[in-house]
Amino acid sequence: MRLGPDLLDRLPAAVARPRYDREAVGCGVVHLGIGAFHRAHQAVYFDDVLAGGETEWGIAAASLRSPDTRDALEPQNGLYTLAVRAGDGEALRVIGSVQQVLVAPEDPERLIALLADPRIRIVTLTITEKGYCHDPATGALKEDHPDVVHDLGDLFRPRSALGFLAAALAGRFAAGTPPFTIVSCDNLPANGKTLKAVLDRFCALVSDELGQWVRDEVCCPSSMVDRIVPATTDEDRARVSAALGVTDAWPVMTEPFTQWVLEDRFPNGRPDLAAVGVELVDDVEPFEHMKLRLLNGSHSTLAYLGYLGGYQTVSETMADPAYARLVRGLMDEEATPTLHMPPGTDLTAYKDALIERFRNPALKHRTWQIAMDGSQKLPQRLLGTIRDRLAAGASIDRLALGVAAWMRYVTGVDEKGEPIDVRDPMASRFKDIAAAAGNPETLAASLIGIREIFGDDLPAEPRFIRPVKEALASLYRVGARATVAETAGR
Ligand code: CS2
């Protein structure tokens, strides 16, 4: 038997479930890029909104590529289980806020029509860093990106999120419908501003009139989202289904912690998000820096060094005391001095909690998963911190080791000579660079020369190049574990 509305009453008492009338809920939100993160984060906040009695904020979610989520959730009427996991067990909750799942490439016009519907007042995005079709170093739209070129040529059968948004906004503009508010929930720097810049530019390339309307009318509040969501395994599916007594084809795994900090700019209305724990602020930037630099910067550092050191998951990596010391040192000594938090923020408590979250043994968060798409992640996770440190004349040893570990990782060969499955939009470029480089020194020099990642400044900065080259040389000489032990002890 498959999880579905008719079976909700028969679930074990310990399983939380929607107590509101799902049939009475209208759709007010479209989410682009439905994946596990959306289902463990924004969809849960909206489920709380609906549980609080609001009825206009159901979610229609779209996948921009694969039909997998739709195939799993459609027979379940959108219902799925959230498994909140910690050392002391697992709490299950069935989420009801996702009303339908569309697969964009199967019927692009249907998604555009939905987005153009006046009832849709908010669009949320988790399309990953590379989904913005931008240059990660500058934030500008890559006008020669194949999806951008394609979508500008055929706006009514787009591929990219920007294409869908522009096509729908064109429809709303023509119909005199106010625009929706668009909330980026990706780990980009100034994600709202970055989205707004690429969208404005994209729409201006469609037409001057649309460009101007979008520039003047469309709001993209920035947000900081945080919840660790490892990929679901077959073992997870089997365990959750057994606990429910019915099959859930795709439950999502997460941790108890969750946070959403959001700029309060919603001219077309929003639910009472504060009532469900969203922190509404005027300026997200300090929180975003805190999270990107402390959590994600540490995560990527742990992922590359952990993978190279032979560790499969973050919690396994953290169980090595040298790695734990390195990452705390990275946070305390190198990242924290670059943060400017509002008064009253307890960064020590935040970092203590982060260390515990990384250690959570119930989460099998693979280092390989986090290592993906490093070219898109490095700038905001490590390089911004490095720039601020260098401007202050301060040391960057641990940050440089994180960058060097990324370099060794993207060569595609691990310490035992085994291949690494490198997933990155620039993977083939890395392979060519690695093949041409005769030694760590030239490897580092060639990778640092990639301006889309390192910008114009870092390739010309000896105080950056030297520690990265030294760290990379050490990774090749003695390996990740010994280099971590040595750097952590400094
Ligand atoms: C991770 C993030 O995969 C990754 O790159 O660093 O997805 C991380 O788990 C989330 O940002 C936590 O909020």
Side-chain angles (χ1 to χ4, degrees), residues 70 74 100-104 107-115:
R70 188 269 322 271
E74 198 171 73
Q100 53 168 325
V101 182
L102 284 71
V103 182
D107 192 351
E109 275 148 32
R110 182 164 158 226
L111 177 56
I112 295 170
L114 174 69
L115 282 162

Side-chain angles (χ1 to χ4, degrees), residues 6 24 58 91 99 208 269 344 357 465 483:
D6 301 343
Q99 301 182 303
D208 289 346
R357 294 170 64 196
I465 298 171
T483 305

Side-chain angles (χ1 to χ4, degrees), residues 13 35 75 101 121 139 147 149 156 159 186 247 275 295 419-420 466 485:
V101 182
R121 295 196 275 154
D147 288 352
V149 173
F156 294 93
R159 287 184 192 146
D186 285 295
T247 300
L295 188 156
I420 303 174
R466 190 186 32 78

Side-chain angles (χ1 to χ4, degrees), residues 284-339:
V284 166
E285 192 176 272
F287 300 96
E288 167 208 301
H289 279 182
M290 170 184 84
K291 194 250 169 175
L292 287 174
R293 294 182 175 194
L294 295 176
L295 188 156
N296 297 108
S298 302
H299 238 180
S300 289
T301 301
L302 286 168
Y304 298 117
L305 288 167
Y307 186 98
L308 293 172
Y311 296 125
Q312 293 262 331
T313 65
V314 174
S315 59
E316 230 180 78
T317 311
M318 285 297 286
D320 181 326
Y323 280 75
R325 214 164 45 243
L326 179 88
V327 109
R328 186 73 202 219
L330 187 151
M331 291 188 202
D332 288 342
E333 307 295 329
E334 299 185 10
T336 301
T338 72
L339 301 177

Side-chain angles (χ1 to χ4, degrees), residues 37 187 225-228 291 295-296 299 365 369-370 377 381:
F37 183 75
N187 288 314
V225 294
D226 189 7
R227 194 163 213 187
I228 293 177
K291 194 250 169 175
L295 188 156
N296 297 108
H299 238 180
H365 201 185
Q369 185 185 345
I370 300 164
K377 293 173 174 174
R381 294 182 177 210

